[in-house]
Amino acid sequence: MNVQTRWKKSIAVILAFCLMLQMMTGLSVLAADKSPVLSVFGLETDATVNPLGIDNTSPDLSWKISSTQRGVIQQSYRIMAATSKEKLEQGTYDL
């Protein structure tokens, strides 16, 4: 795999990760009283906050969650990746 292809895939993975977590934060789980129950923070890619680029084709993605209720845990996650922000927003996950 050439450097340009790896670079594009790395940028796409970072973009997908950030967009996915931004959507999770914006669409917080709501309790019956409509107050936020879950928030996502501390987003990192390969132990770096907001990297401009990475050369790792399988980066480590991490985040932390916080809840206003006791016993709330993350049970699953979904990472969606695309070669452009437009494709990601359209649901065309091509990576």
Side-chain angles (χ1 to χ4, degrees), residues 25-89:
T25 303
L27 302 173
S28 313
V29 177
L30 300 177
D33 66 356
K34 304 295 183 207
S35 61
V37 173
L38 179 71
S39 61
V40 179
F41 65 98
L43 312 177
E44 293 186 357
T45 304
D46 285 339
T48 305
V49 177
N50 295 329
L52 295 177
I54 58 171
D55 62 356
N56 182 354
T57 58
S58 299
D60 292 324
L61 308 175
S62 65
W63 58 92
K64 298 174 186 172
I65 63 171
S66 177
S67 178
T68 57
Q69 292 185 345
R70 292 184 69 187
V72 174
I73 61 170
Q74 177 179 323
Q75 294 181 329
S76 63
Y77 64 90
R78 180 179 178 193
I79 297 174
M80 300 159 290
T83 54
S84 70
K85 183 177 180 179
E86 292 76 24
K87 287 184 179 182
L88 195 62
E89 290 171 344

